Amino acid sequence: MNEKYYIRRIQKGDHRALDHFIELLYPQVYCFICHKIKDENIAKDITQDTFVRFIRALPTYHSEGKALNYLYKIASHVCYDYYKKEKNYLMLEDELIADETIDVHETIIKNMTSTQLQEVIYELKPAMQDIIILKYYHQYTFKEISEIYHIPISTVKTRHYQALIQLKKQMEGEHIDEY
């Protein structure tokens, strides 16, 4: 897909180009949001809102990379706004978890079923959710994630590490509850 072509056509008012652009990117954006929002209907609404915000930003939009990355960033903000508005999400204070004794391995993600993983991902802070979803569901690299959010790679890696620690703690808690 030639994003720049579509963006130029959309900015000039070509509705067919807009329809095709949305048709191509909607499934990926919706999938990203579904990993953050439990309710499918709300996920659809948030996906719609994401594209509306993208369209509103088009007059001043300057391609700095993939449009999909920009859509992920917008989607992340819309999800955050949803949680904040609905007060369904308890925001944790930003803190660096620096416990060297915790053995964190990415294999915990591979050992979980999709449903289990989604449930524990919902418990993470939004920034950590985004990194886990982009890294493991969409196969983005740390560098690509840092470019999407305009943060240093080291910050992405730190949040990734923190998210894995949180996931491991949550999984250990689930195992304890089962006994």
Side-chain angles (χ1 to χ4, degrees), residues 25-56:
L25 297 179
Y26 188 94
Q28 293 165 306
V29 174
Y30 176 71
C31 182
F32 174 78
I33 292 170
C34 278
H35 287 105
K36 295 177 69 63
I37 304 293
K38 292 180 182 182
D39 186 301
E40 286 185 31
N41 291 324
I42 293 172
K44 288 177 185 176
D45 290 344
I46 290 175
T47 304
Q48 184 72 25
D49 193 24
T50 298
F51 279 98
V52 168
R53 288 186 188 194
F54 178 77
I55 293 166
R56 286 183 185 151

Coordinates of all heavy atoms in Angstrom, one line a residue, residues 25-56:
L25 N -6.6 -0.8 6.8 CA -5.9 -0.7 8.1 C -6.9 -1.1 9.3 O -6.4 -1.3 10.4 CB -5.3 0.7 8.3 CG -4.2 1.0 7.3 CD1 -3.7 2.4 7.6 CD2 -3.1 0.0 7.4
Y26 N -8.1 -1.1 9.1 CA -9.1 -1.3 10.2 C -8.8 -2.6 10.9 O -8.8 -2.6 12.2 CB -10.5 -1.3 9.6 CG -11.6 -1.3 10.7 CD1 -12.2 -0.1 11.1 CD2 -12.0 -2.5 11.2 CE1 -13.2 -0.2 12.1 CE2 -13.0 -2.6 12.2 CZ -13.6 -1.4 12.6 OH -14.5 -1.4 13.6
P27 N -8.6 -3.7 10.2 CA -8.4 -5.0 11.0 C -7.3 -4.9 12.0 O -7.4 -5.4 13.1 CB -8.2 -6.0 9.9 CG -8.8 -5.5 8.7 CD -8.6 -4.0 8.8
Q28 N -6.2 -4.3 11.6 CA -5.0 -4.3 12.4 C -5.2 -3.3 13.6 O -4.9 -3.7 14.8 CB -3.8 -3.8 11.6 CG -3.4 -4.8 10.6 CD -2.4 -4.2 9.6 OE1 -2.7 -3.2 9.0 NE2 -1.3 -4.8 9.4
V29 N -5.9 -2.2 13.4 CA -6.2 -1.3 14.5 C -7.2 -1.9 15.5 O -7.0 -1.9 16.7 CB -6.7 0.1 14.0 CG1 -7.1 1.0 15.1 CG2 -5.6 0.7 13.1
Y30 N -8.2 -2.6 14.9 CA -9.2 -3.2 15.7 C -8.6 -4.3 16.6 O -8.9 -4.4 17.8 CB -10.3 -3.8 14.8 CG -11.4 -4.5 15.6 CD1 -12.3 -3.9 16.4 CD2 -11.5 -5.9 15.5 CE1 -13.2 -4.6 17.1 CE2 -12.4 -6.7 16.2 CZ -13.3 -6.0 17.0 OH -14.2 -6.7 17.7
C31 N -7.7 -5.1 16.0 CA -7.0 -6.2 16.7 C -6.2 -5.6 17.9 O -6.3 -6.1 19.0 CB -6.2 -7.0 15.7 SG -5.3 -8.3 16.5
F32 N -5.5 -4.5 17.6 CA -4.7 -3.9 18.7 C -5.6 -3.4 19.8 O -5.4 -3.7 21.0 CB -4.0 -2.7 18.1 CG -3.3 -1.8 19.1 CD1 -2.1 -2.2 19.6 CD2 -3.8 -0.6 19.5 CE1 -1.4 -1.4 20.5 CE2 -3.2 0.2 20.4 CZ -2.0 -0.2 20.9
I33 N -6.8 -2.8 19.5 CA -7.7 -2.3 20.5 C -8.4 -3.5 21.2 O -8.5 -3.4 22.5 CB -8.7 -1.4 19.9 CG1 -8.0 -0.1 19.4 CG2 -9.9 -1.0 20.8 CD1 -8.8 0.8 18.6
C34 N -8.7 -4.6 20.5 CA -9.3 -5.7 21.2 C -8.4 -6.3 22.3 O -8.9 -6.9 23.2 CB -9.7 -6.8 20.1 SG -11.2 -6.5 19.3
H35 N -7.1 -6.2 22.1 CA -6.2 -6.7 23.1 C -6.2 -5.8 24.3 O -5.7 -6.2 25.4 CB -4.8 -6.9 22.5 CG -4.7 -8.0 21.6 ND1 -4.6 -7.8 20.2 CD2 -4.7 -9.3 21.8 CE1 -4.5 -9.0 19.7 NE2 -4.6 -9.9 20.6
K36 N -6.7 -4.6 24.2 CA -6.7 -3.7 25.3 C -8.1 -3.5 26.0 O -8.2 -3.2 27.1 CB -6.3 -2.3 24.9 CG -4.8 -2.3 24.4 CD -4.4 -0.9 23.9 CE -4.3 0.2 24.9 NZ -3.4 0.0 26.0
I37 N -9.1 -3.8 25.2 CA -10.5 -3.6 25.7 C -11.2 -4.9 25.6 O -11.2 -5.6 24.6 CB -11.3 -2.6 24.8 CG1 -10.5 -1.3 24.7 CG2 -12.7 -2.4 25.2 CD1 -10.5 -0.5 26.0
K38 N -11.9 -5.3 26.7 CA -12.5 -6.6 26.8 C -13.8 -6.7 26.0 O -14.1 -7.7 25.4 CB -12.9 -6.9 28.3 CG -11.7 -7.2 29.1 CD -12.1 -7.5 30.6 CE -10.9 -7.7 31.4 NZ -11.3 -8.0 32.8
D39 N -14.6 -5.6 25.9 CA -15.9 -5.6 25.3 C -15.7 -5.3 23.8 O -15.2 -4.3 23.4 CB -16.7 -4.6 25.9 CG -18.2 -4.6 25.4 OD1 -18.4 -4.4 24.2 OD2 -19.1 -4.7 26.2
E40 N -16.2 -6.3 22.9 CA -16.0 -6.1 21.5 C -16.8 -4.9 20.9 O -16.3 -4.2 20.0 CB -16.5 -7.4 20.7 CG -15.6 -8.6 20.9 CD -16.1 -9.8 20.1 OE1 -16.7 -9.6 19.0 OE2 -15.8 -10.9 20.5
N41 N -17.9 -4.6 21.4 CA -18.7 -3.4 21.0 C -18.0 -2.1 21.3 O -17.9 -1.2 20.5 CB -20.1 -3.4 21.5 CG -20.9 -4.5 21.0 OD1 -20.8 -4.9 19.8 ND2 -21.8 -5.1 21.8
I42 N -17.4 -2.1 22.5 CA -16.6 -0.9 22.9 C -15.4 -0.8 22.0 O -15.0 0.3 21.6 CB -16.3 -0.9 24.4 CG1 -17.6 -0.8 25.2 CG2 -15.3 0.2 24.7 CD1 -17.5 -1.0 26.7
A43 N -14.7 -2.0 21.8 CA -13.5 -2.0 20.9 C -13.9 -1.5 19.5 O -13.1 -0.7 18.9 CB -13.0 -3.4 20.8
K44 N -15.0 -1.8 19.0 CA -15.5 -1.3 17.7 C -15.7 0.2 17.7 O -15.2 0.9 16.8 CB -16.7 -2.0 17.2 CG -16.5 -3.4 16.8 CD -17.8 -4.1 16.4 CE -17.6 -5.6 16.1 NZ -18.9 -6.3 15.9
D45 N -16.3 0.7 18.8 CA -16.5 2.1 19.0 C -15.2 2.9 19.0 O -15.0 3.9 18.5 CB -17.3 2.4 20.2 CG -18.8 2.0 20.1 OD1 -19.2 1.7 18.9 OD2 -19.5 1.9 21.1
I46 N -14.3 2.3 19.8 CA -12.9 2.9 20.0 C -12.2 2.9 18.6 O -11.5 3.9 18.3 CB -12.2 2.3 21.1 CG1 -12.8 2.7 22.4 CG2 -10.7 2.7 21.1 CD1 -12.2 2.0 23.7
T47 N -12.3 1.8 17.9 CA -11.6 1.8 16.6 C -12.2 2.9 15.7 O -11.5 3.6 15.0 CB -11.8 0.4 15.9 OG1 -11.3 -0.6 16.8 CG2 -11.1 0.3 14.6
Q48 N -13.5 3.0 15.7 CA -14.2 4.0 14.9 C -13.7 5.4 15.3 O -13.3 6.3 14.5 CB -15.7 3.9 15.1 CG -16.5 4.9 14.2 CD -16.5 4.5 12.8 OE1 -16.3 3.4 12.4 NE2 -16.6 5.5 11.9
D49 N -13.6 5.7 16.6 CA -13.2 6.9 17.1 C -11.7 7.2 16.8 O -11.3 8.3 16.4 CB -13.3 7.0 18.7 CG -13.1 8.4 19.2 OD1 -13.4 9.4 18.5 OD2 -12.8 8.5 20.4
T50 N -10.9 6.2 16.7 CA -9.5 6.3 16.3 C -9.4 6.8 14.9 O -8.6 7.7 14.6 CB -8.8 4.9 16.5 OG1 -8.8 4.5 17.8 CG2 -7.4 5.0 16.0
F51 N -10.2 6.2 14.0 CA -10.2 6.7 12.6 C -10.7 8.1 12.4 O -10.2 8.8 11.6 CB -10.9 5.6 11.7 CG -10.0 4.5 11.3 CD1 -10.1 3.3 12.0 CD2 -9.0 4.6 10.3 CE1 -9.3 2.2 11.7 CE2 -8.2 3.5 10.0 CZ -8.3 2.3 10.7
V52 N -11.8 8.4 13.2 CA -12.3 9.7 13.2 C -11.2 10.8 13.6 O -11.0 11.8 12.9 CB -13.6 9.9 14.1 CG1 -14.0 11.3 14.3 CG2 -14.7 9.1 13.5
R53 N -10.5 10.5 14.7 CA -9.5 11.4 15.1 C -8.3 11.5 14.1 O -7.8 12.5 13.9 CB -8.9 10.9 16.5 CG -9.8 11.1 17.6 CD -9.2 10.8 18.9 NE -10.2 10.8 20.0 CZ -9.8 10.8 21.3 NH1 -8.6 10.8 21.6 NH2 -10.8 10.8 22.2
F54 N -8.0 10.3 13.4 CA -7.0 10.4 12.4 C -7.5 11.3 11.2 O -6.7 12.1 10.7 CB -6.7 8.9 11.9 CG -5.7 8.9 10.8 CD1 -4.4 9.0 11.0 CD2 -6.1 8.7 9.5 CE1 -3.4 8.9 10.0 CE2 -5.2 8.6 8.4 CZ -3.9 8.7 8.7
I55 N -8.7 11.1 10.8 CA -9.2 11.9 9.7 C -9.2 13.4 10.1 O -8.9 14.2 9.3 CB -10.7 11.4 9.3 CG1 -10.6 10.0 8.7 CG2 -11.3 12.4 8.4 CD1 -11.9 9.3 8.6
R56 N -9.6 13.7 11.3 CA -9.6 15.1 11.8 C -8.1 15.7 11.8 O -8.0 16.9 11.6 CB -10.1 15.2 13.2 CG -11.6 15.1 13.2 CD -12.2 15.3 14.6 NE -13.6 15.1 14.6 CZ -14.2 14.6 15.7 NH1 -13.6 14.4 16.8 NH2 -15.5 14.4 15.6

